[in-house]
């Protein structure tokens, strides 16, 4: 994999906001907001995307002195909500808490009605969450190096679970197999909950999987956390190294969620939202709320968020191509 993961070059929030406005209409925005704002979320209530979005919405409601309401439009991996958000009026009253899964979607699904680069204006990245690389004790490995050595001695014979073909954990393992030069056997499930049952029982011994799903099993010793897929260690498990620290510099894959609007969102609104969100994300209580789930607040504003999405689109396409993951109808 020749493409390096996106790394923000600077932590600017307002610089570049006009560049992300995508030919904003010449509308007077001095009175914005003068009514409630809707934030679409593409997943059911209670999931990580929803919880992060609601925390941001509560903070924005206070700072904007207007109601900011989260509306869940679950289905099709978040793409139903993305379609609605992409077609909404760019007036600042219809926003979308987009996830990395919607940026991945065009790499694995044909005939989508939206383009994540073309159809959205990016405002602020709210949070990121890496995956644990976990192994069942029966596999007999205690580190990434031991796993790679075992996999090279048994090419294609070690199974790994994922939450579904083309999902983030599948993509992460595909990326890891590529950089580590190993071959594993994929066993897809319908989600983390189904996968973790067989992982904990040792029926499938290996996976990249979300920290909330696997964390209790790691703490209980039922599963071993060999590494974290993100750029940094997580506070909930400070002794677990990153994959990059384990011999693969530059490796970074995680789930992320952030605030966006339709293409054409006026620069003045992008600037106002970016300004108001920053203190919410910087607040210690925001980080503390999600720490046990391995969710880390972000410091990425409009310009760098836009660059992240563009870089991830290219990177996801390359991983899917190199791993020969089938594109779905």
């Amino acid at each position: 994999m020749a493409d390096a993961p996106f790394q923000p070059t600077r932590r600017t929030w307002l610089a570049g906001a006009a560049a992300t406005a995508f030919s904003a209409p010449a509308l007077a925005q001095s009175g914005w907001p003068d009514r409630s704002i809707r934030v679409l979320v593409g997943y059911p209530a209670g999931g990580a995307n929803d919880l992060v979005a609601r925390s941001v919405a509560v903070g924005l409601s206070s700072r904007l002195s207007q109601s900011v309401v989260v509306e869940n439009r679950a289905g099709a991996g978040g793409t139903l909500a993305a379609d609605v958000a992409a077609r909404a009026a760019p007036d600042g009253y219809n926003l979308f808490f987009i996830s990395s899964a919607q940026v991945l979607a065009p790499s694995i699904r044909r005939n989508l009605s939206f383009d994540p680069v073309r159809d959205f204006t990016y405002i602020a990245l709210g949070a990121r969450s890496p995956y644990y690389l976990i192994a069942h004790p029966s596999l007999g490995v205690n580190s990434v190096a031991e796993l790679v050595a075992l996999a090279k001695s048994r090419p294609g014979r070690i199974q790994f679970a994922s939450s579904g073909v083309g999902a983030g954990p599948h993509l992460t393992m595909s990326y890891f197999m590529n950089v580590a030069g190993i071959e594993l056997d994929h066993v897809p499930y319908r989600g983390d909950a189904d996968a973790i049952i067989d992982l904990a029982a040792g029926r499938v011994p290996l996976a990249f999987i979300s920290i909330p799903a696997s964390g209790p099993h790691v703490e209980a010793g039922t599963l071993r956390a060999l590494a974290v897929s993100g750029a940094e260690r997580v506070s909930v498990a400070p002794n677990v190294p990153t994959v990059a620290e384990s011999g693969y510099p530059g490796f970074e894959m995680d789930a992320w969620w952030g605030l966006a609007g339709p293409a054409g969102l006026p620069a003045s609104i992008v600037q106002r939202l970016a300004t108001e969100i920053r203190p919410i994300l910087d607040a210690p209580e925001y980080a503390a709320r999600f720490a046990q789930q391995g969710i880390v607040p972000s410091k990425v504003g409009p310009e760098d968020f836009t660059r992240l999405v563009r870089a991830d689109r290219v990177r996801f396409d390359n991983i899917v191509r190199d791993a020969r993951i089938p594109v779905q109808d």
Side-chain angles (χ1 to χ4, degrees):
M1 180 68 55
D3 297 271
F6 167 81
Q7 295 289 345
T9 56
R10 54 192 182 277
R11 302 298 190 182
T12 54
W13 279 70
L14 302 185
T20 64
F22 300 108
S23 65
L27 299 173
Q29 301 298 332
S30 59
W32 183 91
D34 61 5
R35 54 188 171 91
S36 64
I37 297 168
R38 177 182 69 162
V39 179
L40 285 171
V41 170
Y43 299 93
N49 190 340
D50 175 74
L51 293 174
V52 172
R54 289 180 186 277
S55 292
V56 170
V58 168
L60 282 176
S61 293
S62 175
R63 298 187 65 84
L64 295 173
S65 300
Q66 287 290 344
S67 177
V68 180
V69 180
V70 171
E71 179 181 323
N72 299 91
R73 289 278 189 104
T79 59
L80 294 183
D83 175 59
V84 173
R87 292 185 288 106
D91 54 11
Y93 296 101
N94 298 280
L95 304 176
F96 179 38
F97 225 83
I98 192 168
S99 82
S100 50
Q102 282 87 69
V103 178
L104 165 61
S107 299
I108 59 171
R109 295 185 59 184
R110 297 186 181 92
N111 304 318
L112 287 176
S113 59
F114 67 91
D115 182 316
V117 172
R118 180 194 64 210
D119 293 335
F120 297 105
T121 303
Y122 291 92
I123 300 163
L125 189 63
R128 311 184 74 132
S129 182
Y131 306 108
Y132 273 151
L133 173 57
I134 58 168
H136 191 269
S138 63
L139 195 59
V141 297
N142 294 289
S143 68
V144 171
E146 290 180 5
L147 169 62
V148 171
L150 181 64
K152 287 184 175 180
S153 72
R154 299 166 57 186
R157 293 168 55 194
I158 298 174
Q159 294 183 319
F160 76 94
S162 83
S163 53
V165 174
H170 180 202
L171 209 70
T172 303
M173 188 64 85
S174 297
Y175 180 24
F176 178 67
M177 285 192 290
N178 191 3
V179 299
I182 60 175
E183 181 184 353
L184 303 168
D185 181 24
H186 182 209
V187 181
Y189 289 80
R190 292 182 296 180
D192 281 355
D194 290 338
I196 203 70
I197 293 172
D198 278 2
L199 285 162
R203 287 186 283 270
V204 179
L206 190 67
F208 276 103
I209 197 165
S210 69
I211 292 175
S214 57
H217 296 277
V218 171
E219 292 175 10
T222 311
L223 295 168
R224 292 174 182 164
L226 305 182
V228 174
S229 69
E232 300 175 351
R233 299 188 186 198
V234 292
S235 60
V236 69
N239 294 324
V240 178
T242 65
V243 174
E245 291 175 316
S246 302
Y248 301 93
F251 187 99
E252 179 184 351
M253 283 286 283
D254 51 20
W256 55 252
W257 311 277
L259 188 66
L265 190 65
S268 60
I269 293 178
V270 175
Q271 291 175 334
R272 176 76 186 280
L273 285 167
T275 299
E276 302 297 352
I277 287 174
R278 182 60 186 266
I280 299 169
L281 303 182
D282 282 344
E285 56 268 27
Y286 181 83
R289 185 175 298 125
F290 301 114
Q292 289 302 309
Q293 302 177 62
I295 296 173
V296 182
S298 174
K299 311 295 181 184
V300 175
E303 183 181 40
D304 280 340
F305 192 9
T306 302
R307 290 182 60 247
L308 167 66
V309 170
R310 293 177 182 274
D312 273 358
R313 276 293 303 116
V314 174
R315 186 161 67 123
F316 293 159
D317 273 352
N318 288 341
I319 294 171
V320 168
R321 182 196 65 231
D322 293 346
R324 295 183 176 86
I325 297 173
V327 179
Q328 305 169 36
D329 292 323

